[in-house]
Amino acid sequence: MARSIIVGAGMVGLATAWHLQERGVEVTIIDREGVAAGSSWGNAGWLAPAKTIPLADPSLWTYGPKALIDPDAALHVPVRVDVNLWSFLARFAAHGTQRAWDRAMAALTPIDRLALQSFDELIDGGVESSTHEGPFIIGFGHARHARGFMRDVAGVIQHGQSVHVERLDDPRALAPQLSSQIGAAYRMDGQRFIEPGPFMHALAESVTARGAEMRMGLEVSAVDSSSRPSVMLSNGETLTADSVVIATGAWMPRLARVLGVNVPVQAGRGYSFTVDTDEPAEHPVYLPTQRIACTPYQGRFRIAGTMEFRGPDDALQHRRIQAIVNRVRTLMTGVDLDNRHDEWVGSRPVTPDGLPLVGQTRAPNVYVAGGHGMWGVVLGPATGKLLAERIVTGRTDPAIAPFDPLR
């Protein structure tokens, strides 16, 4: 029986393992901490292909400079000498054009269209969890603030997705957490959400029940492909297999750079916390102007935001949590923002061109899967399925062809 080693127990790594098992491959999963220890746990859990769009767009040139001097801005770049960071930011900003946005959106659309059915496939195949239907409630201080959001929706539709958005007369009927400061609101249908932690652990349990070996608490120090692919572990052990998949998110360059993957991957850190609400939260809420995403989560309301360009192992910055609180305080009501639970930071792997890195490295039978930016959860199952096909059959599905890690 063929054997594969998956480095990384986030959504992408676990989904790849599940689909390799579907094709008869025996898998070992290694993670330095545990299941969903990175950016897969504390995110908003949105399965929203209509918002799975390139991060860099033309608004970056007006919003970015203002963000650098606003301590509460959603975009945060620490002021320090870091040649690699500033080089990445220059390349990222260069993609903030309409032409680059359209090019990246055209590349993302085929896998966006597979995203929801890929979750259904996991659940139908025995993953004991569920997805939840919207609607998503989109709130603005004034109707004129919705222009950028509606422009993005129009762009997504132009590239081949079906998106339904309509104006709401009474947004509080669906999202009582919104205050009277929300002057215009819309509902977006056809999207879903999950509770990320429970879903991730259900996926891990399914993979384990099918015979996977889970090696948690061990770090992979190197990947060798001089003969048969092998990984060297922090405890001195060496494991060999027929294939190796590096799915370590923002930490991917540590193993993949020497394998010819030279596209920069920068940690774009996101923060979240959960709060109690006076009335139950039933639907996701999005505040595009503030770049805040909220989701019902285990009886509370998860509030997530910020794109902080720091090192993936840097400590949680409490000022970023406070910045989120400051941005939403007047826009929400009946929400206990001062009694926060599960304050969290996770490092999302961002590439300059906004496209993931999925495919074979220069080393035979050694693959990478990551670089999804904010979209690792929603695109993880589809990525895992198509990469498993590539590993077993050698065929590259057109939906992941633009994500060549050697580009």
Side-chain angles (χ1 to χ4, degrees):
M1 178 181 289
R3 185 164 176 263
S4 184
I5 295 172
I6 314 294
V7 187
M11 178 65 87
V12 175
L14 290 173
T16 303
W18 194 92
H19 280 287
L20 283 170
Q21 290 175 317
E22 282 285 279
R23 292 177 171 272
V25 178
E26 188 177 273
V27 298
T28 296
I29 303 169
I30 305 167
D31 196 282
R32 66 175 187 167
E33 294 186 47
V35 172
S39 58
S40 292
W41 184 84
N43 62 85
W46 284 17
L47 310 185
K51 287 301 298 172
T52 305
I53 61 178
L55 294 179
D57 63 30
S59 71
L60 183 65
W61 293 99
T62 53
Y63 175 75
K66 295 177 183 177
L68 292 177
I69 59 175
D70 180 358
D72 288 340
L75 176 64
H76 179 69
V77 181
V79 180
R80 64 187 184 193
V81 178
D82 186 331
V83 175
N84 290 334
L85 172 60
W86 290 102
S87 173
F88 169 85
L89 291 174
R91 294 178 63 172
F92 181 78
H95 287 85
T97 66
Q98 189 61 49
R99 182 178 179 182
W101 191 94
D102 282 320
R103 186 168 55 246
M105 191 68 241
L108 287 168
T109 295
I111 197 168
D112 283 354
R113 296 175 68 175
L114 297 174
L116 297 183
Q117 69 188 58
S118 297
F119 275 86
D120 292 339
E121 188 170 357
L122 291 177
I123 293 166
D124 293 343
V127 176
E128 295 186 359
S129 193
S130 59
T131 64
H132 308 280
E133 299 287 343
F136 283 51
I137 312 304
I138 321 297
F140 302 90
H142 191 278
R144 65 176 177 272
H145 300 156
R147 293 169 186 164
F149 172 78
M150 297 304 291
R151 184 173 57 248
D152 286 345
V153 169
V156 168
I157 293 172
Q158 178 185 349
H159 282 280
Q161 291 194 52
S162 177
V163 186
H164 180 73
V165 176
E166 67 178 62
R167 181 81 178 260
L168 288 172
D169 293 328
D170 181 15
R172 284 182 51 80
L174 292 172
Q177 292 74 35
L178 293 177
S179 77
S180 60
Q181 295 299 307
I182 297 296
Y186 301 77
R187 63 178 290 164
M188 181 169 66
D189 291 285
Q191 318 299 304
R192 306 186 209 169
F193 66 96
I194 59 171
E195 294 188 341
F199 192 97
M200 290 297 305
H201 284 281
L203 178 55
E205 288 167 6
S206 178
V207 169
T208 302
R210 294 161 135 216
E213 181 183 8
M214 304 289 283
R215 303 289 301 274
M216 303 294 103
L218 290 171
E219 187 162 7
V220 173
S221 57
V223 177
D224 181 28
S225 63
S226 55
S227 55
R228 194 173 179 223
S230 61
V231 300
M232 279 61 77
L233 304 183
S234 54
N235 64 357
E237 189 177 357
T238 298
L239 303 178
T240 61
D242 298 290
S243 61
V244 171
V245 177
I246 301 170
T248 51
W251 293 268
M252 179 188 290
R254 296 180 184 177
L255 297 175
R257 188 175 290 118
V258 297
L259 303 173
V261 182
N262 295 317
V263 177
V265 176
Q266 170 64 43
R269 306 200 319 162
Y271 286 75
S272 74
F273 52 85
T274 57
V275 293
D276 294 309
T277 58
D278 290 350
E279 297 186 52
E282 297 182 357
H283 304 294
V285 170
Y286 183 37
L287 303 174
T289 305
Q290 293 73 26
R291 291 170 167 80
I292 299 294
C294 310
T295 316
Y297 187 81
Q298 297 189 316
R300 293 192 174 106
F301 203 37
R302 173 169 282 177
I303 300 177
T306 294
M307 177 60 73
E308 178 192 48
F309 289 121
R310 280 185 177 269
D313 293 312
D314 285 4
L316 181 149
Q317 306 294 308
H318 290 282
R319 183 65 186 83
R320 294 294 92 216
I321 297 286
Q322 189 59 49
I324 295 174
V325 172
N326 293 345
R327 292 204 305 278
V328 303
R329 191 177 290 279
T330 62
L331 303 175
M332 292 187 176
T333 185
V335 176
D336 191 355
L337 293 169
D338 297 317
N339 183 26
R340 299 182 293 274
H341 307 263
D342 301 325
E343 292 186 348
W344 172 90
V345 61
S347 294
R348 301 166 298 199
V350 180
T351 60
D353 60 6
L355 299 182
L357 302 168
V358 183
Q360 184 171 287
T361 69
R362 286 182 183 163
N365 299 313
V366 179
Y367 304 83
V368 295
H372 294 81
M374 297 170 63
W375 319 126
V377 167
V378 59
L379 298 182
T383 296
K385 178 179 181 177
L386 300 182
L387 182 59
E389 178 186 11
R390 169 66 178 83
I391 293 169
V392 174
T393 71
R395 174 183 178 270
T396 298
D397 190 282
I400 58 171
F403 310 152
D404 182 357
L406 302 181
R407 63 182 182 269

